[in-house]
Amino acid sequence: GLRRREPALALGDYRTLAIEGDVLVYRRRGAGKAFAVALNLESKPKAVLFTEDDIRGHVVLSTYMDREDEPVERELALRADEGVIIELDEAG
């Protein structure tokens, strides 16, 4: 799967970006790549507003399996119980 193909997801540096209610967002960075993982653990939709300038990229995986390549810049709407992995444009 994606985790096996991308070492940054399993072994990269971990940094929490946001915890708000039942929404968790963190970044994994390593092997020249960076990913943000956004998890909505609530059974209703939530919007995530990123405050960090480097959260720009595209969705590589959603638990709903229908958002691949969707661009992400500053804001992300999450559906109920959705998890999204975003490949960031800059590994910084």
Side-chain angles (χ1 to χ4, degrees):
L2 182 63
R3 195 174 161 103
R4 190 166 291 144
R5 287 193 317 268
E6 298 293 352
L9 286 171
L11 305 170
D13 292 338
Y14 175 95
R15 180 170 175 213
T16 300
L17 299 179
I19 299 175
E20 187 174 322
D22 290 330
V23 175
L24 168 65
V25 183
Y26 62 91
R27 178 173 53 212
R28 299 298 302 254
R29 179 181 282 159
K33 288 192 174 184
F35 296 88
V37 179
L39 304 171
N40 180 10
L41 305 174
E42 197 167 335
S43 58
K44 62 183 180 181
K46 292 283 186 176
V48 177
L49 182 61
F50 298 111
T51 57
E52 303 215 5
D53 290 337
D54 59 351
I55 304 299
R56 286 178 172 71
H58 64 278
V59 174
V60 291
L61 183 67
S62 163
T63 53
Y64 281 73
M65 305 300 286
D66 63 353
R67 298 178 77 166
E68 191 171 329
D69 292 326
E70 179 181 314
V72 175
E73 186 173 327
R74 306 287 294 168
E75 191 172 349
L76 177 66
L78 292 171
R79 292 169 283 189
D81 302 309
E82 183 175 27
V84 171
I85 299 175
I86 303 156
E87 183 172 351
L88 301 175
D89 290 341
E90 302 270 329

